[in-house]
Amino acid sequence: MSIVVRDVNFRYNPGTSLERTALEDVSLSIGRGEFVLIGGAIGSGKSTLIRHFNGLLRPCSGQVTVDGMQASEKKVRSRVGMLFQFPRQQLFGRTVFEELAFGPKNFGLRGPEIEKQVHYALELLGLGKDISAESPLRLSGGQKRLVAIAGVLACRPEYLVLDEPLSGLDAENKSLLISALRLLNSNGITIIVVSHRVSDMLSLADHVYWLDRGRLVFSGTPAEYAGHGSLPLPEITCLMKELRTRGFDVRGDIFDTDEAFREISRMLGPKRVTGATEQ
Amino acid sequence: MIDIRDLCHTYPDGTPALDSVSLQIDEGEFVVIAGRNGSGKSSLIRHINALLLPSGGSVHVNGLCTSQKKHHPAIRKAVGIVFQDPDSQFIGMTVEEDIAFGPENMGLPSARIKELVESSMETMGICELRSHSPRALSGGQKQKLAIAGVLAMESQCIVLDEVTSMLDPLSRQEVLDAVRRIREQDTTVICVTHRLEEAVDADRLIIMDSGSVVADASPRDVFKKYDLERYGVEIPPVAALSKMLASAGFPDIGLALTKDELLEALCQ
């Protein structure tokens, strides 16, 4: 059970003067239950790539399958849920409930079934039932994004694809969203995050891909990503790597502050820590 | 240059946005304003060029009060704002035309307009894009064009509202480098951002919460003295790490604002 992309090429406006190659010979495979990051600069083909996962775009050559089906088959749409960068454009219900009911309704569900789906989505994200009656437009930026995600989840997708989910969010809303994604992933939903800034989520990821001008230039674990050398790294990772090159015995594949703190405390020695805390 | 006293702002639906804000910003200062979504940052900067008018208190720019409509042209010439999504601000068919729009509107002679367009393209490093269409530019290039448009009006003060939030790291760095060049020309820069890494070399860091200013000091002092998480602001990871180390019993590691500062402290 996986999304398999094989030798995909994609050009916008083929055969016209505006023809532009967006993807070149891209192959990858995303297994069920994985947490995957797809990084790359703006314009590197990330958004074009994910639009192939549920048939919004079809490759000029090559093939994309989802759980063995062609991605262009209608059945795939409900399996691969997609959240675009600007959730405000995806919100149109008067209440959160209406908003979340929209997708299941469109897939032909009725009354109690719809309600069941909506509650399933709210529960998965750790959102209370109270929020159902609110107007989506009155929510904070992070909550809006969570509601947009819930709207996608109400269709019970196996794969959730998010395009730049953290952009424009402040620290609180960012951590709200990151913990929601972690919760979803632990419930077995495959998470695919596209971002030009992978640093916030490297510690959650199982696998990282990097696109450069339409080509897949890196595929590996976060630790392999950290060791690659020419891909953008979080400042904390740069710090740890530099400590290593200066001869300190620390790991270089550390992406967040808490882990760096533990590693440096260990390096500096427990004695000093205890000694100083006792003062 | 900017004098804000007891500024209050209430939106027409009754939502309070600013609650008795007072601050002064001098010519040539580089000020960063941060705070969670909805803390009042955007409302505050919209008062600086009279896009919003006070419900209470006052805002003066170069001694001119924003409540008086006759001052608006002079105030808007002095203070230019660049927003997060510059697309809605483009008018010209080419980069050059777009930059020329502001000075043309001010009725300047064409030789002077040409000079201004040229010098602002140079400061922003976009000379080679002069005949491109604004729509065809990348995100970072668009932001640089939007800033060049404000520069060409010879604004004394440039306000940047989350201009880097949609950019990838490379474009972001290019925009930040260009902003540094503007500061070298003694232009006042006010920058609204979620990302405090961008505040490390500011003269002042202002933190807003629920419509009030809760901190206003040098970035080092603000990082040191305030629990910024409370205000929904993310302190740069390196500064957070050095703070954690210091409070866990490594007191000789002072507050490090950059990776190099922390490396040096650790290597001693």
Side-chain angles (χ1 to χ4, degrees), chain B residues 179-245:
Chain B
V179 170
R180 191 160 299 130
R181 288 197 291 276
I182 300 174
R183 285 164 44 205
E184 282 162 10
Q185 297 170 357
D186 285 333
T187 307
T188 310
V189 176
I190 301 173
C191 181
V192 172
T193 180
H194 286 313
R195 307 192 48 186
L196 290 188
E197 295 104 289
E198 291 174 15
V200 167
D201 57 348
D203 296 315
R204 266 161 81 189
L205 172 58
I206 294 174
I207 308 286
M208 295 200 60
D209 193 43
S210 316
S212 303
V213 170
V214 289
D216 179 358
S218 72
R220 195 175 291 275
D221 281 349
V222 174
F223 291 161
K224 206 184 268 179
K225 290 181 191 150
Y226 293 86
D227 174 16
L228 292 179
E229 257 172 47
R230 241 183 85 195
Y231 304 119
V233 185
E234 203 172 0
I235 123 166
V238 167
L241 177 60
S242 71
K243 237 177 150 173
M244 283 161 87
L245 287 167

Side-chain angles (χ1 to χ4, degrees), chain B:
Chain B
M1 179 195 173
I2 295 162
D3 187 6
I4 300 171
R5 278 175 206 259
D6 304 321
L7 173 64
C8 293
H9 189 88
T10 312
Y11 281 112
D13 68 349
T15 324
L18 293 172
D19 180 16
S20 203
V21 171
S22 293
L23 56 100
Q24 283 73 43
I25 294 173
D26 290 332
E27 212 166 332
E29 268 196 300
F30 173 35
V31 178
V32 170
I33 304 178
R36 59 162 64 88
N37 295 340
S39 59
K41 318 180 289 283
S42 298
S43 304
L44 176 65
I45 56 165
R46 278 165 178 74
H47 277 273
I48 302 178
N49 81 342
L51 283 176
L52 288 177
L53 300 177
S55 315
S58 66
V59 178
H60 285 83
V61 175
N62 290 331
L64 304 173
C65 178
T66 60
S67 300
Q68 286 178 300
K69 214 173 167 196
K70 63 174 182 195
H71 295 323
H72 289 181
I75 289 171
R76 292 195 180 131
K77 186 189 172 304
V79 182
I81 301 193
V82 180
F83 294 103
Q84 186 173 352
D85 170 20
D87 270 332
S88 49
Q89 273 176 295
F90 296 136
I91 296 157
M93 298 293 286
T94 65
V95 163
E96 245 173 334
E97 252 180 52
D98 195 80
I99 302 174
F101 181 79
E104 266 165 14
N105 258 2
M106 285 155 43
L108 297 178
S110 59
R112 180 68 187 136
I113 295 175
K114 226 174 158 192
E115 252 173 56
L116 286 170
V117 170
E118 219 43 57
S119 70
S120 31
M121 283 197 301
E122 200 170 308
T123 307
M124 298 312 293
I126 52 171
C127 292
E128 74 283 8
L129 300 173
R130 63 174 75 233
S131 49
H132 286 54
S133 154
R135 312 252 158 231
L137 303 179
S138 76
Q141 290 168 336
K142 278 182 186 168
Q143 285 298 19
K144 284 191 271 184
L145 167 58
I147 300 172
V150 175
L151 278 183
M153 313 255 297
E154 295 192 286
S155 302
Q156 276 171 279
C157 171
I158 295 188
V159 182
L160 306 169
D161 189 7
E162 299 272 1
V163 289
T164 60
S165 72
M166 299 290 196
L167 302 180
D168 60 56
L170 198 71
S171 321
R172 182 172 152 261
Q173 198 49 54
E174 280 175 22
V175 171
L176 292 176
D177 289 344
V179 170
R180 191 160 299 130
R181 288 197 291 276
I182 300 174
R183 285 164 44 205
E184 282 162 10
Q185 297 170 357
D186 285 333
T187 307
T188 310
V189 176
I190 301 173
C191 181
V192 172
T193 180
H194 286 313
R195 307 192 48 186
L196 290 188
E197 295 104 289
E198 291 174 15
V200 167
D201 57 348
D203 296 315
R204 266 161 81 189
L205 172 58
I206 294 174
I207 308 286
M208 295 200 60
D209 193 43
S210 316
S212 303
V213 170
V214 289
D216 179 358
S218 72
R220 195 175 291 275
D221 281 349
V222 174
F223 291 161
K224 206 184 268 179
K225 290 181 191 150
Y226 293 86
D227 174 16
L228 292 179
E229 257 172 47
R230 241 183 85 195
Y231 304 119
V233 185
E234 203 172 0
I235 123 166
V238 167
L241 177 60
S242 71
K243 237 177 150 173
M244 283 161 87
L245 287 167
S247 58
F250 304 107
D252 35 333
I253 296 174
L255 178 69
L257 296 190
T258 63
K259 180 186 85 186
D260 292 338
E261 273 181 41
L262 182 55
L263 267 175
E264 204 156 298
L266 285 170
C267 290
Q268 267 173 14

Side-chain angles (χ1 to χ4, degrees), chain A residues 46-57 82 84 163:
Chain A
K46 308 183 296 290
S47 301
T48 305
L49 174 63
I50 57 168
R51 281 169 172 73
H52 281 81
F53 294 171
N54 71 346
L56 283 177
L57 292 177
M82 209 158 286
F84 296 108
D163 198 353

Side-chain angles (χ1 to χ4, degrees), chain A residues 9-44:
Chain A
N9 283 281
F10 185 80
R11 288 180 301 279
Y12 284 104
N13 310 308
T16 71
S17 60
L18 296 170
E19 177 168 323
R20 188 169 64 83
T21 300
L23 294 174
E24 263 186 281
D25 299 326
V26 174
S27 296
L28 53 86
S29 161
I30 297 170
R32 277 271 180 98
E34 278 192 299
F35 195 121
V36 172
L37 291 179
I38 302 177
I42 290 171
S44 58

